Amino acid sequence: MSLFKRGNIWWVRFSTPSGQQIRKSAKTANKQLAQEYHDRLKAGYWRVSKLGEKPRRKWEEAVERWLIEKQGEKVTLVDDIGHLRRVHPHLYSRYLDEIDREVLDDLTQSRLSDGVSNATVNRMLEVVRAILRRAEREWDWLERTPHIRMMPEAKRRIRWLTREEARRLLSELPDHLAAMARFALATGLREANVVKLEWSQVDLDRRCAWIHADQAKARKAIPVPLNAEAIQVLRQQKGKHSTRVFTYKGKPVTKANNHAWRKALARAGIKDFRWHDLRHTWASWHVQQGTPLYVLQELGGWSDHEMVRRYAHLSVEHLAEYADKLSETRLDSTNLAQSPNWKEKKRQADRLTA
């Protein structure tokens, strides 16, 4: 029989022209709808086999393949999986060619109704777009990726601490978190790279450490020169664990941005500050001390120069001499009347400022 029941739900069963046995749930208790599903599914396999048409793929097939290919390749995969869980009720069982602009707009509105920010919605849409693009461009599963309308986002200002704020925060942190925060402020390393740092990645004699390519967000190894502050922190950790650098009560730390961190921020009177902002603070201090942006890019392991230009406004020394030129011109023009030949000098000043 081409239709059979399991409980109250109808299932379909047939053989494809190539001899493949197909058994799938029609997901309905209505026999007529189950028969329609059977006929459409069987016709699809026939068209693929006899007419050379491409098989239609479903969203969950694309998600499964994308996750397999991204495993070990993308540091933020855990975050992506979280977004995909939110997407699942909206796109599950849909064929890829059925995911059009209307479907995606409905998805966007549904997430906004949950009270999340535009930025959160955009991060979700970026994952959906990445999967659909790969289905089109690499797997040949889709003829064309639909246009995905992103939500407007306010440009977030760079949040960083002054030296005094940093001292205040460090004094409120538990010893193990204070050590990790000091090391982050000295090196600019991301939370995961600090938390998982191993002694095999550190050379105190050469005053350097390194982050392996598979640990770095940009998938490129990062050399980490160690300044005096970083060296002091590491020496204080020696002997606490045979493998990992940062520990708590003899066990490796698993997370820095935790309850103790948030309580210390409150005691220090510091608001709107995340652990990742320690990296922003490190970069901001570097720029304010005159570190060139191309050097900062290499130190921080950024692959995109635009990411580093976020800090450019914090350094104005290279513009000072040009600003002073205008200041000197105006100063001279205001004092011309007190000098000999002031009319001729005024004409020269006017030509300069015209």
Side-chain angles (χ1 to χ4, degrees):
M1 290 180 62
S2 58
L3 295 180
F4 65 97
K5 264 191 170 183
R6 286 183 178 172
N8 292 325
I9 301 300
W10 286 99
W11 282 62
V12 303
R13 176 172 51 202
F14 60 87
S15 298
T16 68
S18 63
Q20 181 184 359
Q21 296 296 314
I22 302 297
R23 287 182 178 84
K24 287 191 176 184
S25 170
K27 299 179 182 178
T28 180
N30 186 305
K31 186 175 182 179
Q32 182 178 348
L33 293 177
Q35 187 65 53
E36 291 179 8
Y37 175 72
H38 166 275
D39 296 344
R40 181 158 38 89
L41 190 63
K42 188 173 182 179
Y45 277 98
W46 185 89
R47 295 180 70 86
V48 169
S49 176
K50 300 300 183 180
L51 303 180
E53 293 185 359
K54 296 177 184 176
R56 297 177 76 199
R57 302 286 188 167
K58 290 192 173 183
W59 167 252
E60 53 267 28
E61 294 180 82
V63 169
E64 183 178 0
R65 181 168 177 177
W66 188 78
L67 288 174
I68 291 172
E69 292 184 1
K70 286 293 181 180
Q71 194 69 43
E73 175 186 332
K74 198 176 183 198
V75 176
T76 58
L77 192 59
V78 173
D79 297 330
D80 294 343
I81 291 172
H83 290 306
L84 288 171
R85 288 197 181 103
R86 302 293 191 281
V87 170
H88 181 77
H90 301 272
L91 301 186
Y92 177 74
S93 81
R94 287 185 182 272
Y95 287 104
L96 294 178
D97 55 17
E98 294 176 339
I99 302 174
D100 56 17
R101 184 179 297 183
E102 183 178 353
V103 170
L104 294 169
D105 286 347
D106 288 343
L107 170 61
T108 297
Q109 291 306 313
S110 175
R111 288 298 286 137
L112 288 173
S113 67
D114 293 336
V116 302
S117 67
N118 285 6
T120 299
V121 173
N122 284 347
R123 301 298 83 77
M124 174 193 69
L125 293 175
E126 286 169 357
V127 178
V128 174
R129 182 173 60 188
I131 294 174
L132 293 177
R133 283 182 174 175
R134 182 161 289 205
E136 175 198 352
R137 300 173 185 180
E138 296 187 26
W139 306 334
D140 204 23
W141 285 7
L142 190 62
E143 290 295 329
R144 186 178 64 85
T145 303
H147 173 70
I148 298 180
R149 280 193 282 254
M150 309 301 284
M151 301 297 296
E153 289 184 54
K155 289 190 176 180
R156 181 183 173 90
R157 67 182 178 86
I158 299 299
R159 180 71 170 95
W160 56 279
L161 297 179
T162 64
R163 300 275 180 174
E164 174 55 33
E165 287 175 322
R167 280 192 288 270
R168 203 162 68 234
L169 174 59
L170 291 173
S171 69
E172 295 291 348
L173 286 169
D175 290 343
H176 69 290
L177 285 181
M180 296 169 68
R182 286 173 58 201
F183 191 74
L185 288 170
T187 61
L189 289 177
R190 296 178 173 88
E191 178 187 358
N193 297 139
V194 175
V195 169
K196 297 177 182 178
L197 187 68
E198 298 185 355
W199 288 114
S200 61
Q201 297 171 250
V202 176
D203 189 331
L204 290 175
D205 293 333
R206 293 172 52 222
R207 298 172 63 91
C208 68
W210 50 91
I211 303 301
H212 300 300
D214 61 348
Q215 299 172 315
K217 186 175 181 180
R219 289 311 187 204
K220 293 181 181 178
I222 304 174
V224 185
L226 301 174
N227 59 21
E229 177 74 6
I231 291 289
Q232 184 182 46
V233 171
L234 291 174
R235 284 177 175 161
Q236 291 170 350
Q237 306 308 307
K238 289 290 281 185
K240 293 184 178 181
H241 196 272
S242 59
T243 305
R244 295 280 279 274
V245 173
F246 295 104
T247 61
Y248 176 62
K249 293 184 178 181
K251 296 182 179 180
V253 176
T254 57
K255 190 173 180 61
N257 187 8
N258 54 24
H259 185 62
W261 161 261
R262 292 187 288 273
K263 288 181 69 174
L265 285 172
R267 290 193 300 268
I270 297 173
K271 299 179 180 179
D272 185 30
F273 194 80
R274 310 163 302 163
W275 182 277
H276 189 73
D277 292 327
L278 293 174
R279 179 170 166 85
H280 293 320
T281 300
W282 165 83
S284 300
W285 287 357
H286 258 293
V287 171
Q288 291 169 44
Q289 292 297 318
T291 302
L293 293 184
Y294 72 90
V295 174
L296 181 63
Q297 180 177 354
E298 187 170 352
L299 286 172
W302 282 287
S303 59
D304 185 357
H305 182 65
E306 286 304 312
M307 298 294 289
V308 187
R309 287 202 57 80
R310 295 178 297 175
Y311 308 100
H313 68 286
L314 297 173
S315 174
V316 296
E317 286 78 3
H318 62 295
L319 304 175
E321 69 171 287
Y322 301 101
D324 286 341
K325 284 183 178 180
L326 182 59
S327 176
E328 290 167 3
T329 301
R330 287 181 174 173
L331 180 63
D332 288 345
S333 65
T334 57
N335 295 320
L336 285 175
Q338 301 176 12
S339 62
N341 304 320
W342 67 272
K343 289 185 178 180
E344 178 59 27
K345 290 183 177 180
K346 184 175 186 307
R347 280 194 294 271
Q348 294 176 1
D350 289 341
R351 284 197 297 271
L352 286 172
T353 58

